[in-house]
């Protein structure tokens, strides 16, 4: 009897598509991080009294972690962008004073990571890639963030310092933190139905 082998191309197409489970997880993560982002705001504002804009830029990277974590877990095109956009929407629903402009902020904060993951064809998920995604996300989001904060009136030398701090913040917060959280959850088995869980099982043989 002739055995029909699975079509590898079909399997690749199927694995790149979103499932309802993926969408629900991204939405849940967005609500969680939307709440956390809102709680982070007083911390960010308080730092201004000690480190002014430099201190605030150092903490900025936390606001980029939700989208990177969503992408790291489901590994689908649009996960980082959708995760940050929905987190911004959740912030608004939770009562964030910034209102509707946060939606633009969410888009900008997810776009950079999406670009990095797309360049790797959504197949590269090492710590180094996540660190790069965090840094690029911080850079892509910078013009909109600084426009809202009025930073462009500051001295050019200070802006260069703020740029360096921003990149480091994105790399430090939005790279290792999603990597640790994602792998920690995967080890418990709760993510076995997602790409991160399947990749973990494959790596273990």
């Amino acid at each position: 009897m002739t055995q029909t082998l699975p079509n590898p191309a079909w399997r690749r197409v199927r694995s790149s598509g979103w499932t309802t489970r993926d969408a629900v997880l991204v939405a849940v993560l967005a609500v969680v991080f939307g709440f956390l982002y809102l709680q982070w705001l007083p911390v960010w504002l308080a730092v201004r009294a000690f480190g002014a804009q430099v201190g605030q830029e150092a903490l900025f990277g936390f606001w980029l972690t939700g989208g990177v974590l969503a992408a790291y877990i489901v590994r689908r095109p649009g996960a980082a962008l959708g995760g940050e956009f929905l987190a911004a929407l959740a912030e608004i629903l939770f009562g964030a004073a910034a209102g509707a402009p946060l939606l633009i902020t969410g888009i900008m904060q997810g776009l950079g990571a999406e670009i990095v993951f797309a360049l790797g064809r959504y197949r590269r998920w090492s710590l180094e890639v996540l660190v790069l995604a965090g840094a690029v996300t911080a850079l892509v989001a910078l013009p909109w963030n600084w426009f809202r904060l009025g930073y462009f009136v500051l001295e050019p030398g200070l802006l260069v310092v703020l740029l360096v701090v921003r990149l480091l913040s994105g790399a430090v917060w939005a790279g290792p933190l999603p990597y640790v959280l994602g792998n920690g959850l995967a080890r418990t088995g709760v993510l076995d139905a997602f790409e991160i869980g399947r990749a973990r099982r494959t790596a273990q043989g």
Side-chain angles (χ1 to χ4, degrees):
M1 187 173 83
T2 304
Q3 182 179 9
T4 303
L5 297 176
N7 185 329
W10 176 84
R11 292 180 66 185
R12 285 195 295 272
V13 171
R14 184 171 183 267
S15 67
S16 67
W18 279 76
T19 66
T20 301
R21 184 184 290 111
D22 295 332
V24 169
L25 179 66
V26 170
V28 169
L29 286 174
V31 172
V32 171
F33 275 89
F35 177 78
L36 293 176
Y37 289 169
L38 198 56
Q39 309 315 306
W40 193 245
L41 181 60
V43 179
W44 183 79
L45 291 173
V47 167
R48 186 178 182 87
F50 302 98
Q53 292 92 349
V54 174
Q56 290 183 315
E57 288 298 308
L59 296 183
F60 181 83
F62 180 75
W63 276 309
L64 311 174
T65 56
V68 175
L69 177 61
Y72 185 52
I73 292 174
V74 304
R75 306 188 178 187
R76 309 294 192 197
L81 184 59
E84 284 293 329
F85 177 80
L86 292 176
L89 178 60
E91 285 187 81
I92 295 172
L93 296 177
F94 283 134
L102 274 178
L103 297 178
I104 301 176
T105 301
I107 292 173
M108 298 306 295
Q109 290 181 181
L111 186 59
E114 206 67 52
I115 292 171
V116 172
F117 297 142
L119 290 174
R121 302 179 67 183
Y122 297 93
R123 295 176 182 174
R124 300 181 181 275
W125 301 100
S126 65
L127 175 59
E128 292 79 11
V129 171
L130 265 63
V131 168
L132 178 61
V136 173
T137 295
L139 180 63
V140 171
L142 183 148
W144 169 248
N145 297 142
W146 283 12
F147 169 75
R148 290 187 62 213
L149 295 171
Y151 278 11
F152 287 115
V153 301
L154 299 175
E155 292 294 326
L158 178 57
L159 289 178
V160 172
V161 172
L162 295 179
L163 171 61
V164 173
V165 174
R166 163 70 70 101
L167 292 175
L168 290 174
S169 179
V172 170
W173 282 103
L177 186 55
Y179 186 81
V180 170
L181 288 174
N183 288 338
L185 288 171
R187 282 194 293 271
T188 69
V190 298
L191 300 179
D192 282 353
F194 299 94
E195 283 299 315
I196 189 174
R198 287 188 279 270
R200 180 177 174 80
R201 291 196 301 275
T202 300
Q204 291 176 339

